[in-house]
Amino acid sequence: MKINILFLIIVLFLFSCRNDIPQQDHLQSVADIYVSGIENGKACYWKNGVKTELINGDQILGIKMFVQNNNVYVWGKSIYGTDCYWKNNVKYEVTQALNLQQNTPQIMFHKISGFIVDNDDVYFAGTVRTGTTSPLFELCYWKNGVKTVLKQITVDEMSEFHEIVISNNDVYVTDSDPLGNHGYYKNGVYHALPSGQLLKGIAATSAGTVILVQKNGTDDYSYKNLNSGTTILSFTSNQNVYEIIPDNNDLYSLNLIGNGYHKNGTLVNINFAPLYDEVINMKVINNKKYMIISRDAAGISGTKVISDNIETQNITSHSDGFYGVFIVPH
C-alpha cells in the first residue's frame, strides 16, 4: 500500500511538472522574451527568464532594451540621473559617447529622454546646456554619437520629454515647451500641432508614422497618420492615455491613471493578480501581448512579466523591478 501511495505521489508530481513545461515551451517556441530591469541593486536583463547581470550596473535601472541582429542593447539610468547603455554587456557612458558634460547635484547639464536602436544604429534625443550665454540650451538628437541640433532654446526645457522614432528611414523627435506648444521634428524640420493639441505618443507602423493627440483640457483623443494626414480613429478616456504600441492594424496605448490599457480606443482592464493593475510597458506581436505590470499598494511594491496571459516572472521589492520588454518572434 505504501508503495502504491508513493507511486501515486511521484506520478502526480511528474504530471504537475509536465503540465507547466508545455506553457513555457509554447511561449519560447513563438518568440524570445527579453526583459530589462534591476535586481539586487544591479542592472540586468532576462532572456526567457534567464538573467544576465550587466557589467558595472550598480544602482542603475535597465529601463529599455532592443535586440537586433543578435545584438542586445540596454539603456540604463542611474539613481543619480546619469545615462549609459550596454551593447552585448559592454558598457558605454552616455557622457563619453555623446561628448556631454557630467551632471552634478547642483547643475543638470543634459537630460536624455529618448533612446532607440534601428538596424544597429544607436539614437538618443534630449536637451543639453550649452553655456552661460544665450541661447543656453539645445534640443538635439544623436546617431552613433554624431549630434544634430534641432533648436536652440533661451529658457530651461530640461523638464520636457522628447521621444525619438525611426520610421521608413526618417528621424522623428517629439517636442513640447513650457508654453504648451507641441509638435515634432522630421529629419530636422519642425511641424507644429494646431493650438490646443497635445502630442502624447508617436510610433512607426505598417501604415506609416502615427501620432496620438489629446485635445487640451478634455478627455478627447485621436490617432493620426502623418503620412496620409488622416485621422485613424477618435475616442474619449479619463485615464490620461499615452504612448502607441502598434500591432498590424491595431493600436494600443497605456494609461497613467487607472487599470489596464487601450486597444483601438477601447479600455481593456487587466486582472492577472490582486492590485497589479498598472501596465508600465507592453509589446504586442500578432495579438499576443507581453507586458510588465506593477502594484504599489498596501505597503507592497512589485512588478510581474505577463507573456501571452501567462505570468512568467515576478519581483516583489520597493527598489528592484522590471522596466522594459522586447520580443523577437521566431
Side-chain angles (χ1 to χ4, degrees):
M1 183 66 179
K2 290 182 179 179
I3 294 176
N4 291 337
I5 293 174
L6 178 60
F7 177 76
L8 179 61
I9 291 173
I10 293 172
V11 169
L12 289 173
F13 173 76
L14 291 175
F15 177 80
S16 174
C17 292
R18 290 304 307 168
N19 193 44
D20 182 59
I21 289 171
Q23 290 185 333
Q24 300 294 332
D25 289 346
H26 167 70
L27 290 173
Q28 295 180 23
S29 69
V30 174
D32 287 323
I33 305 164
Y34 290 83
V35 177
S36 61
I38 181 172
E39 187 174 44
N40 300 321
K42 296 180 181 295
C44 48
Y45 74 87
W46 294 259
K47 177 184 178 182
N48 300 325
V50 179
K51 184 171 78 169
T52 296
E53 196 170 278
L54 293 167
I55 293 174
N56 297 325
D58 290 349
Q59 304 306 314
I60 297 176
L61 310 178
I63 61 173
K64 196 172 186 179
M65 71 178 303
F66 295 89
V67 182
Q68 295 186 356
N69 303 317
N70 295 319
N71 295 313
V72 179
Y73 301 83
V74 180
W75 178 24
K77 275 190 176 292
S78 78
I79 60 175
Y80 308 107
T82 55
D83 291 79
C84 63
Y85 75 95
W86 289 266
K87 177 182 179 181
N88 299 329
N89 212 0
V90 176
K91 186 181 181 183
Y92 300 88
E93 298 290 348
V94 167
T95 50
Q96 297 175 5
L98 306 185
N99 193 28
L100 299 175
Q101 190 169 351
Q102 182 69 51
N103 291 332
T104 70
Q106 293 76 30
I107 301 177
M108 181 175 285
F109 289 100
H110 66 271
K111 180 186 176 183
I112 303 299
S113 56
F115 171 77
I116 195 169
V117 180
D118 181 71
N119 197 30
D120 285 316
D121 291 322
V122 178
Y123 294 81
F124 288 94
T127 305
V128 297
R129 186 185 298 267
T130 59
T132 57
T133 59
S134 185
L136 298 177
F137 305 92
E138 292 176 338
L139 171 62
C140 314
Y141 78 85
W142 295 259
K143 176 183 178 181
N144 299 325
V146 178
K147 183 171 76 170
T148 297
V149 178
L150 297 174
K151 72 173 181 178
Q152 294 181 316
I153 314 163
T154 58
V155 296
D156 189 345
E157 293 187 7
M158 289 284 188
S159 62
E160 302 299 321
F161 177 80
H162 304 284
E163 190 175 1
I164 184 166
V165 167
I166 313 302
S167 179
N168 195 29
N169 296 319
D170 294 320
V171 181
Y172 292 82
V173 178
T174 63
D175 186 32
S176 60
D177 64 28
L179 298 177
N181 301 306
H182 285 239
Y184 61 91
Y185 289 87
K186 177 183 177 182
N187 299 327
V189 178
Y190 183 66
H191 301 263
L193 294 187
S195 178
Q197 291 190 2
L198 309 179
L199 184 53
K200 302 299 292 289
I202 187 169
T205 77
S206 58
T209 309
V210 175
I211 59 174
L212 173 63
V213 174
Q214 180 186 13
K215 186 176 179 181
N216 195 16
T218 75
D219 294 331
D220 298 330
Y221 294 84
S222 59
Y223 293 109
K224 299 185 178 183
N225 189 309
L226 295 181
N227 300 91
S228 64
T230 59
T231 297
I232 301 170
L233 65 88
S234 300
F235 64 99
T236 60
S237 173
N238 62 358
Q239 296 189 297
N240 202 346
V241 183
Y242 72 102
E243 196 171 336
I244 303 174
I245 302 130
D247 177 47
N248 298 321
N249 294 323
D250 295 320
L251 298 173
Y252 297 77
S253 291
L254 305 183
N255 306 327
L256 278 176
I257 301 172
N259 180 293
Y261 57 90
H262 280 74
K263 177 183 179 180
N264 298 327
T266 300
L267 176 64
V268 179
N269 290 313
I270 61 172
N271 188 28
F272 296 108
L275 301 179
Y276 281 83
D277 57 4
E278 182 183 1
V279 182
I280 61 175
N281 198 266
M282 183 166 77
K283 297 292 184 292
V284 187
I285 306 293
N286 295 324
N287 203 36
K288 297 183 183 296
K289 301 163 191 68
Y290 305 86
M291 64 183 74
I292 297 172
I293 61 175
S294 71
R295 68 166 281 171
D296 189 5
I300 299 176
S301 296
T303 52
K304 295 178 181 288
V305 179
I306 307 297
S307 302
D308 196 17
N309 296 318
I310 300 170
E311 179 185 325
T312 55
Q313 294 176 248
N314 71 83
I315 292 177
T316 302
S317 171
H318 288 283
S319 55
D320 294 341
F322 308 114
Y323 289 91
V325 61
F326 192 87
I327 307 302
V328 179
H330 290 167

